[in-house]
Amino acid sequence: KGGLVSADVLTTVSPTYAQEIQTSAFGCGLDGVLAHRQGDLIGIVNGIDPEEWNPKTDPHLTARYGPEEVAGKSLCKLALQTQQRLPQRHVLLIGMIQRLAEQKGIDIFAQAAEELMGLPIQIVILGTGEPAYHDKLQALARRFPEQLAVNLKFDNALAHQIEAGCDAFLMPSRFEPCGLNQLYSMRYGTVPIVHRVGGLADTVV
């Protein structure tokens, strides 16, 4: 609080989040002082490394592609399905890369999972977090092995492969100051499905 009161300018990582933290729902008890300093509070959206996250040159991918030549994306999807032991079916393949915690909405996904498995979709999840969600996701993967693949680890190469190989990317975050995966997804031609909060509201058109 002393820093917020004394600083010349306050910044955070997206314009919408700058507004949200001035409310009791998102301000963590500091909403009053943030609202008082609103004239000095600026939200600047984070950026991504366009060289590292470029489907035209990405060394982690089975095939390269871009806006002018998209055929490689289909090959990336087939490769991801094979790697994740999912049948090579023409269904919507959805990716999730996240910390497995309530902030990121993994509990929302867990509650909806059985209903989602009734749809013609496949889902690939990468991340670590709370042990209860590890157990829940592993149990779901055992029940639905042809639709759900769960990777409880950090794996940068797999993150790139998920962004490239999936048709859509799911981010059901309860709050998200900025978020980066929705930016990677749009660069890789993977439709982001997000909760309209924070930086997700600012970046997903």
Side-chain angles (χ1 to χ4, degrees):
K1 181 178 179 179
L4 295 176
V5 170
S6 303
D8 296 317
V9 176
L10 311 178
T11 70
T12 188
V13 292
S14 69
T16 295
Y17 191 64
Q19 296 299 314
E20 290 173 343
I21 58 177
Q22 297 177 53
T23 69
S24 58
F26 293 92
C28 299
L30 294 169
D31 46 286
V33 69
L34 288 164
H36 180 71
R37 296 293 315 273
Q38 61 181 293
D40 303 310
L41 175 57
I42 304 166
I44 303 172
V45 173
N46 278 339
I48 64 174
D49 184 337
E51 298 302 318
E52 180 181 0
W53 294 93
N54 184 351
K56 293 181 179 181
T57 59
D58 194 328
H60 301 295
L61 307 187
T62 297
R64 316 295 185 270
Y65 63 95
E68 304 82 12
E69 179 50 65
V70 299
K73 187 165 177 62
S74 296
L75 298 176
C76 289
K77 179 175 180 175
L78 293 173
L80 182 63
Q81 287 173 316
T82 299
Q83 181 204 57
Q84 295 294 303
R85 296 185 175 86
L86 297 171
Q88 290 188 349
R89 295 174 179 161
H90 294 293
V91 297
L92 184 71
L93 180 57
I94 299 174
M96 294 179 72
I97 303 170
Q98 64 174 73
R99 183 164 48 86
L100 304 178
E102 285 193 15
Q103 176 201 340
K104 301 296 185 179
I106 192 62
D107 57 313
I108 300 171
F109 170 80
Q111 290 170 22
E114 291 196 34
E115 187 173 352
L116 287 172
M117 293 301 107
L119 301 173
I121 63 173
Q122 294 173 336
I123 300 173
V124 178
I125 298 175
L126 171 63
T128 62
E130 298 173 18
Y133 294 120
H134 286 206
D135 296 342
K136 176 70 171 177
L137 292 175
Q138 287 177 318
L140 286 166
R142 287 192 294 269
R143 287 184 59 194
F144 304 101
E146 296 189 353
Q147 287 184 274
L148 178 61
V150 175
N151 302 271
L152 300 175
K153 60 182 178 178
F154 173 83
D155 188 327
N156 183 55
L158 180 55
H160 284 249
Q161 291 154 12
I162 290 172
E163 289 288 7
C166 287
D167 302 301
F169 194 91
L170 181 60
M171 294 181 72
S173 303
R174 282 191 160 77
F175 66 95
E176 193 66 64
C178 179
L180 293 174
N181 279 104
Q182 82 280 10
L183 300 175
Y184 302 147
S185 297
M186 290 186 284
R187 188 150 169 80
Y188 280 62
T190 303
V191 179
I193 304 168
V194 306
H195 186 190
R196 190 180 178 84
V197 293
L200 303 179
D202 291 323
T203 56
V204 177
V205 178

